[in-house]
PDB file of all heavy atoms in Angstrom:
ATOM      1  N   ALA A 294      46.339 -11.215 -15.865  1.00 93.00           N
ATOM      2  CA  ALA A 294      45.755 -11.240 -17.178  1.00 93.00           C
ATOM      3  C   ALA A 294      44.413 -10.549 -17.203  1.00 93.00           C
ATOM      4  O   ALA A 294      44.051  -9.758 -18.063  1.00 93.00           O
ATOM      5  CB  ALA A 294      45.640 -12.632 -17.652  1.00 93.00           C
ATOM      6  N   TYR A 295      43.597 -10.821 -16.146  1.00 94.00           N
ATOM      7  CA  TYR A 295      42.298 -10.221 -15.983  1.00 94.00           C
ATOM      8  C   TYR A 295      42.470  -8.655 -15.930  1.00 94.00           C
ATOM      9  O   TYR A 295      41.736  -7.902 -16.626  1.00 94.00           O
ATOM     10  CB  TYR A 295      41.520 -10.712 -14.801  1.00 94.00           C
ATOM     11  CG  TYR A 295      40.240 -10.004 -14.518  1.00 94.00           C
ATOM     12  CD1 TYR A 295      39.085 -10.265 -15.305  1.00 94.00           C
ATOM     13  CD2 TYR A 295      40.158  -9.026 -13.616  1.00 94.00           C
ATOM     14  CE1 TYR A 295      37.901  -9.592 -15.051  1.00 94.00           C
ATOM     15  CE2 TYR A 295      39.017  -8.294 -13.355  1.00 94.00           C
ATOM     16  CZ  TYR A 295      37.911  -8.609 -14.062  1.00 94.00           C
ATOM     17  OH  TYR A 295      36.711  -7.932 -13.851  1.00 94.00           O
ATOM     18  N   GLY A 296      43.351  -8.245 -15.102  1.00 94.00           N
ATOM     19  CA  GLY A 296      43.563  -6.755 -14.984  1.00 94.00           C
ATOM     20  C   GLY A 296      44.041  -6.151 -16.229  1.00 94.00           C
ATOM     21  O   GLY A 296      43.547  -5.089 -16.652  1.00 94.00           O
ATOM     22  N   ALA A 297      44.965  -6.791 -16.910  1.00 94.00           N
ATOM     23  CA  ALA A 297      45.496  -6.249 -18.198  1.00 94.00           C
ATOM     24  C   ALA A 297      44.461  -6.220 -19.215  1.00 94.00           C
ATOM     25  O   ALA A 297      44.332  -5.263 -20.050  1.00 94.00           O
ATOM     26  CB  ALA A 297      46.707  -7.082 -18.648  1.00 94.00           C
ATOM     27  N   PHE A 298      43.600  -7.301 -19.296  1.00 94.00           N
ATOM     28  CA  PHE A 298      42.538  -7.318 -20.290  1.00 94.00           C
ATOM     29  C   PHE A 298      41.498  -6.202 -20.045  1.00 94.00           C
ATOM     30  O   PHE A 298      41.051  -5.537 -20.970  1.00 94.00           O
ATOM     31  CB  PHE A 298      41.842  -8.726 -20.263  1.00 94.00           C
ATOM     32  CG  PHE A 298      40.820  -8.896 -21.334  1.00 94.00           C
ATOM     33  CD1 PHE A 298      41.257  -9.295 -22.590  1.00 94.00           C
ATOM     34  CD2 PHE A 298      39.490  -8.591 -21.073  1.00 94.00           C
ATOM     35  CE1 PHE A 298      40.293  -9.474 -23.629  1.00 94.00           C
ATOM     36  CE2 PHE A 298      38.540  -8.820 -22.088  1.00 94.00           C
ATOM     37  CZ  PHE A 298      38.962  -9.223 -23.367  1.00 94.00           C
ATOM     38  N   CYS A 299      41.171  -5.976 -18.772  1.00 94.00           N
ATOM     39  CA  CYS A 299      40.224  -4.933 -18.433  1.00 94.00           C
ATOM     40  C   CYS A 299      40.794  -3.495 -18.843  1.00 94.00           C
ATOM     41  O   CYS A 299      40.042  -2.674 -19.311  1.00 94.00           O
ATOM     42  CB  CYS A 299      39.888  -4.911 -16.970  1.00 94.00           C
ATOM     43  SG  CYS A 299      38.868  -6.302 -16.465  1.00 94.00           S
ATOM     44  N   VAL A 300      42.050  -3.290 -18.536  1.00 95.00           N
ATOM     45  CA  VAL A 300      42.692  -2.035 -18.946  1.00 95.00           C
ATOM     46  C   VAL A 300      42.640  -1.912 -20.473  1.00 95.00           C
ATOM     47  O   VAL A 300      42.287  -0.829 -21.012  1.00 95.00           O
ATOM     48  CB  VAL A 300      44.089  -1.900 -18.450  1.00 95.00           C
ATOM     49  CG1 VAL A 300      44.840  -0.769 -19.052  1.00 95.00           C
ATOM     50  CG2 VAL A 300      44.118  -1.806 -16.888  1.00 95.00           C
ATOM     51  N   ARG A 301      42.994  -2.915 -21.178  1.00 95.00           N
ATOM     52  CA  ARG A 301      42.933  -2.906 -22.665  1.00 95.00           C
ATOM     53  C   ARG A 301      41.573  -2.537 -23.177  1.00 95.00           C
ATOM     54  O   ARG A 301      41.382  -1.656 -23.952  1.00 95.00           O
ATOM     55  CB  ARG A 301      43.382  -4.220 -23.226  1.00 95.00           C
ATOM     56  CG  ARG A 301      43.446  -4.237 -24.726  1.00 95.00           C
ATOM     57  CD  ARG A 301      43.347  -5.595 -25.303  1.00 95.00           C
ATOM     58  NE  ARG A 301      41.900  -5.983 -25.171  1.00 95.00           N
ATOM     59  CZ  ARG A 301      41.284  -6.728 -26.074  1.00 95.00           C
ATOM     60  NH1 ARG A 301      41.918  -7.274 -27.105  1.00 95.00           N
ATOM     61  NH2 ARG A 301      40.041  -6.990 -25.901  1.00 95.00           N
ATOM     62  N   ASP A 302      40.557  -3.168 -22.587  1.00 94.00           N
ATOM     63  CA  ASP A 302      39.146  -2.939 -22.952  1.00 94.00           C
ATOM     64  C   ASP A 302      38.782  -1.488 -22.715  1.00 94.00           C
ATOM     65  O   ASP A 302      38.135  -0.879 -23.523  1.00 94.00           O
ATOM     66  CB  ASP A 302      38.234  -3.877 -22.150  1.00 94.00           C
ATOM     67  CG  ASP A 302      37.452  -4.809 -22.984  1.00 94.00           C
ATOM     68  OD1 ASP A 302      37.794  -5.005 -24.180  1.00 94.00           O
ATOM     69  OD2 ASP A 302      36.428  -5.318 -22.476  1.00 94.00           O
ATOM     70  N   TRP A 303      39.100  -0.973 -21.512  1.00 94.00           N
ATOM     71  CA  TRP A 303      38.782   0.339 -21.180  1.00 94.00           C
ATOM     72  C   TRP A 303      39.417   1.347 -22.100  1.00 94.00           C
ATOM     73  O   TRP A 303      38.773   2.329 -22.556  1.00 94.00           O
ATOM     74  CB  TRP A 303      39.226   0.645 -19.731  1.00 94.00           C
ATOM     75  CG  TRP A 303      38.850   1.979 -19.211  1.00 94.00           C
ATOM     76  CD1 TRP A 303      37.671   2.394 -18.677  1.00 94.00           C
ATOM     77  CD2 TRP A 303      39.684   3.175 -19.318  1.00 94.00           C
ATOM     78  NE1 TRP A 303      37.639   3.750 -18.393  1.00 94.00           N
ATOM     79  CE2 TRP A 303      38.914   4.229 -18.774  1.00 94.00           C
ATOM     80  CE3 TRP A 303      40.947   3.418 -19.775  1.00 94.00           C
ATOM     81  CZ2 TRP A 303      39.413   5.524 -18.698  1.00 94.00           C
ATOM     82  CZ3 TRP A 303      41.443   4.778 -19.703  1.00 94.00           C
ATOM     83  CH2 TRP A 303      40.658   5.761 -19.189  1.00 94.00           C
ATOM     84  N   LEU A 304      40.694   1.130 -22.497  1.00 95.00           N
ATOM     85  CA  LEU A 304      41.387   1.995 -23.393  1.00 95.00           C
ATOM     86  C   LEU A 304      40.690   2.058 -24.769  1.00 95.00           C
ATOM     87  O   LEU A 304      40.493   3.169 -25.317  1.00 95.00           O
ATOM     88  CB  LEU A 304      42.819   1.568 -23.603  1.00 95.00           C
ATOM     89  CG  LEU A 304      43.732   1.696 -22.345  1.00 95.00           C
ATOM     90  CD1 LEU A 304      45.067   0.983 -22.564  1.00 95.00           C
ATOM     91  CD2 LEU A 304      43.991   3.227 -22.097  1.00 95.00           C
ATOM     92  N   PHE A 305      40.321   0.906 -25.230  1.00 96.00           N
ATOM     93  CA  PHE A 305      39.691   0.883 -26.605  1.00 96.00           C
ATOM     94  C   PHE A 305      38.294   1.596 -26.515  1.00 96.00           C
ATOM     95  O   PHE A 305      37.892   2.266 -27.485  1.00 96.00           O
ATOM     96  CB  PHE A 305      39.531  -0.575 -27.112  1.00 96.00           C
ATOM     97  CG  PHE A 305      40.823  -1.122 -27.559  1.00 96.00           C
ATOM     98  CD1 PHE A 305      40.951  -2.514 -27.547  1.00 96.00           C
ATOM     99  CD2 PHE A 305      41.882  -0.369 -27.979  1.00 96.00           C
ATOM    100  CE1 PHE A 305      42.174  -3.059 -27.931  1.00 96.00           C
ATOM    101  CE2 PHE A 305      43.099  -0.942 -28.368  1.00 96.00           C
ATOM    102  CZ  PHE A 305      43.262  -2.252 -28.365  1.00 96.00           C
ATOM    103  N   LYS A 306      37.615   1.406 -25.404  1.00 95.00           N
ATOM    104  CA  LYS A 306      36.274   2.120 -25.267  1.00 95.00           C
ATOM    105  C   LYS A 306      36.485   3.639 -25.107  1.00 95.00           C
ATOM    106  O   LYS A 306      35.451   4.339 -25.267  1.00 95.00           O
ATOM    107  CB  LYS A 306      35.535   1.570 -24.090  1.00 95.00           C
ATOM    108  CG  LYS A 306      35.032   0.111 -24.384  1.00 95.00           C
ATOM    109  CD  LYS A 306      34.335  -0.448 -23.137  1.00 95.00           C
ATOM    110  CE  LYS A 306      33.912  -1.901 -23.390  1.00 95.00           C
ATOM    111  NZ  LYS A 306      33.426  -2.558 -22.181  1.00 95.00           N
ATOM    112  N   ASN A 307      37.706   4.065 -24.813  1.00 94.00           N
ATOM    113  CA  ASN A 307      37.908   5.464 -24.565  1.00 94.00           C
ATOM    114  C   ASN A 307      38.790   6.094 -25.651  1.00 94.00           C
ATOM    115  O   ASN A 307      39.510   7.084 -25.315  1.00 94.00           O
ATOM    116  CB  ASN A 307      38.396   5.708 -23.171  1.00 94.00           C
ATOM    117  CG  ASN A 307      37.332   5.551 -22.095  1.00 94.00           C
ATOM    118  OD1 ASN A 307      36.587   6.455 -21.936  1.00 94.00           O
ATOM    119  ND2 ASN A 307      37.236   4.347 -21.562  1.00 94.00           N
ATOM    120  N   GLY A 308      38.832   5.531 -26.832  1.00 94.00           N
ATOM    121  CA  GLY A 308      39.418   6.187 -27.918  1.00 94.00           C
ATOM    122  C   GLY A 308      40.834   5.716 -28.312  1.00 94.00           C
ATOM    123  O   GLY A 308      41.386   6.258 -29.334  1.00 94.00           O
ATOM    124  N   ILE A 309      41.450   4.878 -27.556  1.00 96.00           N
ATOM    125  CA  ILE A 309      42.783   4.388 -27.940  1.00 96.00           C
ATOM    126  C   ILE A 309      42.671   3.455 -29.174  1.00 96.00           C
ATOM    127  O   ILE A 309      41.809   2.606 -29.167  1.00 96.00           O
ATOM    128  CB  ILE A 309      43.519   3.721 -26.770  1.00 96.00           C
ATOM    129  CG1 ILE A 309      43.836   4.739 -25.654  1.00 96.00           C
ATOM    130  CG2 ILE A 309      44.792   3.047 -27.241  1.00 96.00           C
ATOM    131  CD1 ILE A 309      44.742   5.906 -26.066  1.00 96.00           C
ATOM    132  N   LYS A 310      43.522   3.660 -30.154  1.00 96.00           N
ATOM    133  CA  LYS A 310      43.464   2.833 -31.381  1.00 96.00           C
ATOM    134  C   LYS A 310      44.428   1.666 -31.351  1.00 96.00           C
ATOM    135  O   LYS A 310      44.191   0.656 -31.931  1.00 96.00           O
ATOM    136  CB  LYS A 310      43.732   3.696 -32.602  1.00 96.00           C
ATOM    137  CG  LYS A 310      42.827   4.917 -32.695  1.00 96.00           C
ATOM    138  CD  LYS A 310      41.433   4.531 -33.105  1.00 96.00           C
ATOM    139  CE  LYS A 310      40.555   5.718 -33.255  1.00 96.00           C
ATOM    140  NZ  LYS A 310      39.224   5.479 -32.741  1.00 96.00           N
ATOM    141  N   GLU A 311      45.597   1.864 -30.699  1.00 97.00           N
ATOM    142  CA  GLU A 311      46.576   0.771 -30.652  1.00 97.00           C
ATOM    143  C   GLU A 311      47.352   0.780 -29.344  1.00 97.00           C
ATOM    144  O   GLU A 311      47.704   1.815 -28.851  1.00 97.00           O
ATOM    145  CB  GLU A 311      47.529   0.920 -31.852  1.00 97.00           C
ATOM    146  CG  GLU A 311      48.586  -0.182 -31.863  1.00 97.00           C
ATOM    147  CD  GLU A 311      49.631   0.014 -32.999  1.00 97.00           C
ATOM    148  OE1 GLU A 311      49.916   1.123 -33.429  1.00 97.00           O
ATOM    149  OE2 GLU A 311      50.205  -1.052 -33.369  1.00 97.00           O
ATOM    150  N   ILE A 312      47.579  -0.429 -28.863  1.00 97.00           N
ATOM    151  CA  ILE A 312      48.429  -0.669 -27.647  1.00 97.00           C
ATOM    152  C   ILE A 312      49.541  -1.608 -28.060  1.00 97.00           C
ATOM    153  O   ILE A 312      49.281  -2.566 -28.807  1.00 97.00           O
ATOM    154  CB  ILE A 312      47.598  -1.365 -26.573  1.00 97.00           C
ATOM    155  CG1 ILE A 312      46.350  -0.545 -26.220  1.00 97.00           C
ATOM    156  CG2 ILE A 312      48.489  -1.608 -25.362  1.00 97.00           C
ATOM    157  CD1 ILE A 312      45.316  -1.310 -25.401  1.00 97.00           C
ATOM    158  N   PHE A 313      50.718  -1.278 -27.716  1.00 96.00           N
ATOM    159  CA  PHE A 313      51.825  -2.276 -27.906  1.00 96.00           C
ATOM    160  C   PHE A 313      52.798  -2.340 -26.818  1.00 96.00           C
ATOM    161  O   PHE A 313      52.841  -1.395 -25.962  1.00 96.00           O
ATOM    162  CB  PHE A 313      52.457  -2.065 -29.291  1.00 96.00           C
ATOM    163  CG  PHE A 313      53.335  -0.863 -29.346  1.00 96.00           C
ATOM    164  CD1 PHE A 313      54.686  -0.934 -29.028  1.00 96.00           C
ATOM    165  CD2 PHE A 313      52.882   0.319 -29.843  1.00 96.00           C
ATOM    166  CE1 PHE A 313      55.482   0.237 -29.111  1.00 96.00           C
ATOM    167  CE2 PHE A 313      53.636   1.476 -29.933  1.00 96.00           C
ATOM    168  CZ  PHE A 313      54.946   1.398 -29.544  1.00 96.00           C
ATOM    169  N   ALA A 314      53.517  -3.439 -26.683  1.00 96.00           N
ATOM    170  CA  ALA A 314      54.535  -3.664 -25.640  1.00 96.00           C
ATOM    171  C   ALA A 314      55.716  -4.430 -26.272  1.00 96.00           C
ATOM    172  O   ALA A 314      55.468  -5.308 -27.106  1.00 96.00           O
ATOM    173  CB  ALA A 314      53.946  -4.448 -24.503  1.00 96.00           C
ATOM    174  N   TRP A 315      56.889  -4.008 -25.948  1.00 94.00           N
ATOM    175  CA  TRP A 315      58.108  -4.793 -26.349  1.00 94.00           C
ATOM    176  C   TRP A 315      58.430  -5.807 -25.277  1.00 94.00           C
ATOM    177  O   TRP A 315      58.545  -5.448 -24.077  1.00 94.00           O
ATOM    178  CB  TRP A 315      59.281  -3.835 -26.523  1.00 94.00           C
ATOM    179  CG  TRP A 315      59.087  -2.962 -27.702  1.00 94.00           C
ATOM    180  CD1 TRP A 315      58.767  -1.657 -27.761  1.00 94.00           C
ATOM    181  CD2 TRP A 315      59.320  -3.342 -29.075  1.00 94.00           C
ATOM    182  NE1 TRP A 315      58.707  -1.172 -29.045  1.00 94.00           N
ATOM    183  CE2 TRP A 315      59.066  -2.219 -29.897  1.00 94.00           C
ATOM    184  CE3 TRP A 315      59.684  -4.518 -29.710  1.00 94.00           C
ATOM    185  CZ2 TRP A 315      59.145  -2.182 -31.288  1.00 94.00           C
ATOM    186  CZ3 TRP A 315      59.774  -4.540 -31.110  1.00 94.00           C
ATOM    187  CH2 TRP A 315      59.542  -3.352 -31.842  1.00 94.00           C
ATOM    188  N   VAL A 316      58.600  -7.096 -25.656  1.00 93.00           N
ATOM    189  CA  VAL A 316      58.883  -8.147 -24.701  1.00 93.00           C
ATOM    190  C   VAL A 316      60.131  -8.888 -25.190  1.00 93.00           C
ATOM    191  O   VAL A 316      60.254  -9.252 -26.356  1.00 93.00           O
ATOM    192  CB  VAL A 316      57.680  -9.137 -24.600  1.00 93.00           C
ATOM    193  CG1 VAL A 316      57.960 -10.260 -23.602  1.00 93.00           C
ATOM    194  CG2 VAL A 316      56.393  -8.374 -24.264  1.00 93.00           C
ATOM    195  N   ALA A 317      61.079  -9.089 -24.219  1.00 90.00           N
ATOM    196  CA  ALA A 317      62.279  -9.904 -24.606  1.00 90.00           C
ATOM    197  C   ALA A 317      61.805 -11.280 -25.017  1.00 90.00           C
ATOM    198  O   ALA A 317      60.960 -11.867 -24.398  1.00 90.00           O
ATOM    199  CB  ALA A 317      63.207  -9.995 -23.379  1.00 90.00           C
TER     200      ALA A 317
END
Side-chain angles (χ1 to χ4, degrees):
Y295 173 79
F298 186 84
C299 288
V300 168
R301 184 203 76 145
D302 241 19
W303 183 87
L304 290 168
F305 288 155
K306 287 177 183 171
N307 286 279
I309 293 299
K310 303 290 181 217
E311 181 183 25
I312 304 164
F313 70 89
W315 290 102
V316 181

